[in-house]
Amino acid sequence: MPPPSDIVKVAIEWPGAFPKLMEIDQKKPLSAIIKEVCEGWSLGNHENFALQNADSTNFYITEKNRNDIKNGSILRLTTSPSQMAGQLHERIQSSSMDAKLEALKDLANSSRDVTFAQEFINLDGISLLTQMVESGTERYQKLQKIMKPCFGDLLSFTLTAFVELMDHGIVSWDTFSVAFIKKIAGYVNKSAMDMAVLQRSLAILESMVLNSQDLYQKVAQEITIGQLIPHLQGTDQDIQTYTIAVINALFLKAPEDKRQEMAHILAQKQLRSIILSNVIRSPKPINDEMAHQLYVLQVLTFNLLEDRMMTKMDPQDQAQRDIIFELRRIAFDVECEPNNSGSIEKRKSMYTRDYKKLGFINHVNPAMDFTQIPPGMLALDNMLYFARHHQDAYIRIVLENSSREDKHECPFGRSSIELTKMLCEILKVGELPSENCHDFHPMFFTHDRSFEEFFCICIQLLNKTWKEMRATSEDFNKVMQVVREQIMRALTQKPNSLDQLKSRLQNLSYTEILKIRQSERMNQEDFQSRPILELREKIQPEIMELIKQQRLNRLCDGTCFRKISSRRRQDKFWYCRLSPNHKVLHYGDLEESPQGEVPHDSLQEKLPVADIKAVVTGKDCPHMKEKGSLKQNKEVQELAFSVLYESDEYLNFIAPDKHEYCVWTDGLNALLGKEMTSDFTKSDMDTLLSMEMKLRLLDLENIQIPEAPPPIPKEPSNYDFVYDCN
């Protein structure tokens, strides 16, 4: 007979004694179990003891997490969190350097546990750590030369403990003094600093800036971009990642009026070229966290264009109108023309003719073309950049179009305005960076004016596509659609440089786009005749069963999930898989992301499929409602799902990506006999159905399928032709 589900068999360790094997009744209070264990070893004062996991986490067992104890777990009897916090609080103030170092090491390790952290914080432990950081340098200044490694370790463990304690979100970031911020900024500004101390200091600065506007101002006074840049020139990718994270945080929290100033400083300090040579073109592969920080920097840089994008042109502003005159001058080379030649009417008609050749919608007053936002003044900035920096290409485009028939000319002005608007949409100018995106483009780090250069390449592409399509003014929107498709397809290939982008676009001519569209259309072809539709309906259940089997097979393989934590960089993992007979979900914790197959015996927990009541997703999940479980954002919500089982308990998941999310929600719904509704099911159904239809219709190629079946022939006058097998 199987043991009751409330009884868990464990081993309990106590230093100097043999481990004790015992059964824990989960219905009993934890204090009663601890008392029983203490009495078994003749230990008094059982209130001063607690149980903790004997693995690398050393987390305390509490009434909240006791249900996580698995059969076969090894626990340790140890001092209670409050006693441990008191002892460490005392030990870290020891006058002996060795004792102090050992105590800080233990504190850094213990602070990962929220139960201990709460007790240590209650003793005003964070204030003690900040005081140690503030006074530490002066106190050990004389010893520093002799005991430099020891001093580095001392500081490193102090800062690690501080970061771990703050990560639990118990204490507000607003409480720190300027002296503490100066010290942390000082560690970042020093050229020869211990790597561990530097890493923790950068992490603290990033958290301060992101979590408090008041602290942002204090940090911004203490640290400059110039002081951060040397850390990007090393080879440690973690330090580089934290450095870019601090730069991004300062950028993100800077007031509107300061952002342009920061951008100017970044340009002066050549941050872009340093990142390009030391990070993007480094021999080391770029990890996900670095890719995310580069993506954030890319988004924040492009967001500097938002101000110009949302600024309308003032037709009365002479400086702005001079830009239009400059465009006309460069195109038609009329700088020698005296201002007073001919009458005002003659000059006006000449200007109108030139503005028409330049492709403005309003020939009389082109300034009116730039009153639409977006793209506002950004379009005019792009046009001027193109005219000045790619003068030959600009003149060629304008003159080429002015020599064509009116209806066949590609209007440079109108095209530039619409193209600028399109590029802003593609690059999401003005939108905040997304929390989980890693989609940075290396080519945007290869030039200081990458947006303008991108525009110059795309405006030449637009003119080329216009010619290839033999377009007229009525086809303007069609041309823009083709150009968008060309740009999007080129960007998905992630070109490393602007030259590479040019060659990719050269290969994506209008003819090539037509071929791609044709092949895609053939792949997605949906015959509408009734016999074909009937065949589709007949095949559909078979395909759905095939998809269902694939989903369940994937669940049997299992997936590694991220544990919910308040921080991005030190993730914990757990693994879940379905049993081959589709009756039980096996799951368990992992120390790190698995490389290869996870053995069955490491997944101790079980959840019978028969006990599952429902699957909930997104905002309805309990872990999306809990405060402080994660930086709540749209991306995380889109990957969250939970399994509800007996007595309103939940198993909470956050999928590693959209594909795994669809596989698991589909698979769980299939197990419950519900419909599989994910986007991937629809996509798989379309692909497989299309393939199956084509295979079945291969023999009917070039044969016209009638709308109605042919008439049934009359019955024959006799049946003599029937062959009798007997």
Side-chain angles (χ1 to χ4, degrees):
M1 188 176 163
S5 58
D6 293 320
I7 303 295
V8 185
K9 292 184 176 183
V10 297
I12 298 178
E13 296 177 341
W14 172 249
F18 282 112
K20 189 190 289 273
L21 296 174
M22 70 178 286
E23 292 183 350
I24 289 179
D25 185 349
Q26 292 286 34
K27 288 179 181 170
K28 264 185 169 180
L30 201 56
S31 54
I33 294 166
I34 292 167
K35 185 179 180 184
E36 189 185 324
V37 175
C38 289
E39 285 170 355
W41 273 309
S42 310
L43 299 169
N45 297 333
H46 64 87
E47 306 85 12
N48 295 339
F49 291 94
L51 290 172
Q52 67 179 184
N53 289 307
D55 57 17
S56 59
T57 62
N58 294 333
F59 286 174
Y60 279 99
I61 306 296
T62 63
E63 290 292 353
K64 279 184 184 176
N65 67 19
R66 62 183 295 177
N67 288 327
D68 294 341
I69 302 172
K70 303 161 190 168
N71 269 322
S73 295
I74 301 173
L75 307 181
R76 185 186 294 125
L77 185 67
T78 184
T79 46
S80 67
S82 53
Q83 278 230 314
M84 177 71 86
Q87 287 169 12
L88 281 172
H89 193 273
E90 205 173 298
R91 281 171 60 204
I92 61 174
Q93 297 178 73
S94 163
S95 54
S96 156
M97 282 286 274
D98 288 340
K100 197 185 193 76
L101 185 63
E102 204 55 41
L104 282 166
K105 194 174 182 177
D106 290 346
L107 178 64
N109 195 31
S110 302
S111 297
R112 290 181 297 163
D113 184 3
V114 68
T115 317
F116 170 84
Q118 186 68 68
E119 296 291 345
F120 191 77
I121 288 166
N122 291 345
L123 295 173
D124 219 12
I126 285 186
S127 298
L128 176 61
L129 290 178
T130 53
Q131 283 164 21
M132 285 169 67
V133 170
E134 285 170 33
S135 61
T137 319
E138 285 78 6
R139 191 182 297 174
Y140 302 117
Q141 199 115 41
K142 292 173 186 174
L143 296 170
Q144 199 173 343
K145 283 183 184 173
I146 312 162
M147 308 185 69
K148 195 168 185 181
C150 182
F151 173 73
D153 288 346
L154 203 71
L155 192 52
S156 167
F157 289 128
T158 308
L159 295 179
T160 304
F162 175 82
V163 170
E164 295 287 358
L165 291 167
M166 289 304 293
D167 259 351
H168 296 297
I170 299 167
V171 178
S172 163
W173 280 94
D174 283 313
T175 52
F176 297 107
S177 67
V178 176
F180 178 70
I181 296 165
K182 279 180 187 280
K183 275 278 176 275
I184 299 295
Y187 301 143
V188 172
N189 292 340
K190 275 184 189 165
S191 54
M193 199 66 215
D194 183 83
M195 281 298 181
V197 173
L198 177 58
Q199 191 187 54
R200 303 296 182 280
S201 302
L202 288 165
I204 292 167
L205 289 179
E206 183 199 3
S207 295
M208 282 179 169
V209 171
L210 290 176
N211 287 294
S212 161
Q213 193 61 38
D214 183 41
L215 282 184
Y216 156 73
Q217 287 162 349
K218 290 174 183 172
V219 171
Q221 286 168 0
E222 295 302 323
I223 198 144
T224 64
I225 304 291
Q227 289 161 328
L228 289 169
I229 280 174
H231 301 312
L232 291 171
Q233 293 169 316
T235 53
D236 188 314
Q237 196 170 103
D238 277 349
I239 298 292
Q240 291 174 328
T241 306
Y242 278 98
T243 305
I244 297 176
V246 174
I247 292 170
N248 286 338
L250 289 167
F251 225 129
L252 201 56
K253 291 290 174 180
E256 292 295 329
D257 53 333
K258 284 272 181 77
R259 284 188 192 169
Q260 294 290 350
E261 189 184 314
M262 272 193 74
H264 185 61
I265 293 166
L266 291 179
Q268 277 184 331
K269 299 289 178 189
Q270 294 180 309
L271 175 76
R272 178 201 57 74
S273 57
I274 289 166
I275 289 175
L276 182 69
S277 52
N278 291 285
V279 179
I280 296 172
R281 291 183 177 163
S282 148
K284 287 183 187 173
I286 290 173
N287 61 33
D288 281 355
E289 186 56 37
M290 175 61 91
H292 172 72
Q293 295 301 344
L294 290 171
Y295 153 79
V296 173
L297 184 60
Q298 174 186 296
V299 171
L300 295 175
T301 309
F302 284 142
N303 281 359
L304 295 169
L305 304 167
E306 188 184 11
D307 188 36
R308 292 295 278 173
M309 180 179 85
M310 300 309 284
T311 303
K312 290 182 179 182
M313 184 167 184
D314 177 5
Q316 306 306 316
D317 187 322
Q318 190 56 45
Q320 293 179 0
R321 291 174 67 191
D322 283 347
I323 298 174
I324 297 174
F325 287 135
E326 178 73 353
L327 288 171
R328 176 179 166 271
R329 183 194 67 73
I330 295 170
F332 304 112
D333 196 25
V334 287
E335 58 191 345
C336 309
E337 177 190 292
N339 286 334
N340 55 0
S341 66
S343 64
I344 294 169
E345 281 76 18
K346 189 180 173 186
R347 264 189 296 151
K348 272 188 178 175
S349 71
M350 188 171 66
Y351 284 179
T352 304
R353 185 198 69 216
D354 289 348
Y355 293 146
K356 186 173 182 295
K357 285 180 184 176
L358 279 169
F360 290 111
I361 298 168
N362 192 320
H363 306 152
V364 180
N365 185 4
M368 299 307 292
D369 286 12
F370 300 96
T371 53
Q372 174 201 351
I373 53 169
M377 287 297 290
L378 187 60
L380 191 58
D381 295 345
N382 281 341
M383 290 166 77
L384 184 64
Y385 182 89
F386 181 48
R388 283 184 172 162
H389 294 84
H390 299 271
Q391 199 164 329
D392 291 347
Y394 167 69
I395 292 169
R396 190 182 67 250
I397 285 176
V398 174
L399 296 183
E400 204 175 82
N401 285 300
S402 59
S403 62
R404 287 185 192 152
E405 290 176 62
D406 279 1
K407 66 172 188 174
H408 277 291
E409 66 180 27
C410 175
F412 173 72
R414 184 185 174 193
S415 301
S416 299
I417 292 163
E418 288 302 317
L419 180 65
T420 303
K421 187 179 174 184
M422 184 202 291
L423 296 184
C424 290
E425 286 167 10
I426 290 171
L427 298 174
K428 296 184 171 63
V429 173
E431 289 184 26
L432 282 173
S434 120
E435 179 68 20
N436 287 336
C437 188
H438 309 116
D439 188 25
F440 83 97
H441 291 278
M443 69 174 187
F444 291 129
F445 290 86
T446 60
H447 201 285
D448 288 326
R449 303 285 294 273
S450 58
F451 184 79
E452 289 89 338
E453 286 292 327
F454 187 35
F455 167 84
C456 294
I457 292 167
C458 293
I459 194 71
Q460 292 175 74
L461 166 76
L462 192 151
N463 192 58
K464 174 174 168 278
T465 304
W466 184 282
K467 285 190 286 188
E468 288 170 352
M469 289 177 72
R470 294 190 176 85
T472 65
S473 49
E474 292 163 6
D475 301 321
F476 187 84
N477 291 335
K478 286 182 189 170
V479 176
M480 293 308 289
Q481 282 171 7
V482 173
V483 169
R484 177 186 275 271
E485 193 173 334
Q486 289 169 313
I487 293 168
M488 292 301 284
R489 286 184 186 279
L491 285 179
T492 52
Q493 297 171 16
K494 291 278 174 78
N496 287 323
S497 66
L498 292 162
D499 286 337
Q500 210 173 78
L501 174 74
K502 275 185 206 170
S503 64
R504 297 268 159 86
L505 289 170
Q506 283 291 333
N507 297 334
L508 282 168
S509 63
Y510 176 56
T511 320
E512 190 60 31
I513 290 289
L514 282 181
K515 280 182 193 168
I516 294 168
R517 283 182 176 179
Q518 181 67 22
S519 73
E520 285 178 357
R521 196 177 297 118
M522 283 178 74
N523 288 337
Q524 297 163 1
E525 207 157 53
D526 191 9
F527 302 108
Q528 293 302 317
S529 65
R530 196 162 56 83
I532 302 263
L533 292 175
E534 284 175 10
L535 181 61
R536 281 176 72 91
E537 280 175 32
K538 191 179 173 186
I539 297 172
Q540 215 153 346
E542 297 172 28
I543 302 288
M544 189 54 85
E545 186 58 32
L546 188 66
I547 293 170
K548 178 183 168 182
Q549 286 308 317
Q550 187 275 339
R551 298 291 190 263
L552 294 175
N553 289 343
R554 276 290 291 103
L555 262 60
C556 292
D557 291 342
T559 301
C560 177
F561 295 96
R562 205 158 50 90
K563 273 205 162 185
I564 302 154
S565 78
S566 59
R567 124 178 67 145
R568 294 176 55 91
R569 294 189 188 90
Q570 291 186 10
D571 292 335
K572 305 285 187 298
F573 301 96
W574 66 289
Y575 202 85
C576 186
R577 72 153 68 94
L578 179 66
S579 63
N581 63 4
H582 300 173
K583 290 193 175 175
V584 183
L585 283 175
H586 297 271
Y587 60 96
D589 292 345
L590 298 175
E591 283 302 305
E592 54 187 27
S593 187
Q595 308 293 319
E597 197 173 328
V598 174
H600 274 278
D601 54 4
S602 66
L603 306 178
Q604 301 281 346
E605 294 288 323
K606 290 180 183 178
L607 169 57
V609 171
D611 292 351
I612 297 176
K613 291 182 180 175
V615 177
V616 291
T617 59
K619 291 179 184 173
D620 302 327
C621 298
H623 55 315
M624 291 297 105
K625 293 174 184 170
E626 287 170 17
K627 201 174 178 188
S629 63
L630 263 180
K631 288 179 186 171
Q632 295 305 341
N633 58 63
K634 196 177 165 191
E635 283 78 14
V636 172
Q637 277 183 2
E638 284 174 355
L639 298 174
F641 60 98
S642 298
V643 172
L644 168 63
Y645 55 102
E646 59 190 21
S647 66
D648 288 341
E649 289 193 33
Y650 286 89
L651 191 59
N652 295 325
F653 298 77
I654 291 178
D657 53 46
K658 190 71 180 171
H659 182 265
E660 288 294 329
Y661 169 83
C662 292
V663 164
W664 274 85
T665 49
D666 281 345
L668 291 167
N669 280 325
L671 285 173
L672 300 180
K674 294 183 179 174
E675 200 180 336
M676 299 187 292
T677 54
S678 78
D679 296 343
F680 274 70
T681 296
K682 187 176 179 303
S683 161
D684 288 351
M685 172 60 83
D686 290 346
T687 307
L688 293 170
L689 198 52
S690 168
M691 295 279 282
E692 185 65 22
M693 291 289 289
K694 281 173 187 166
L695 285 169
R696 295 205 183 190
L697 298 172
L698 266 178
D699 295 338
L700 297 175
E701 201 167 343
N702 299 325
I703 294 174
Q704 189 66 40
I705 298 168
E707 278 299 319
I712 298 168
K714 287 179 186 175
E715 282 199 26
S717 55
N718 63 63
Y719 290 90
D720 295 345
F721 58 86
V722 175
Y723 177 69
D724 187 356
C725 296
N726 297 323

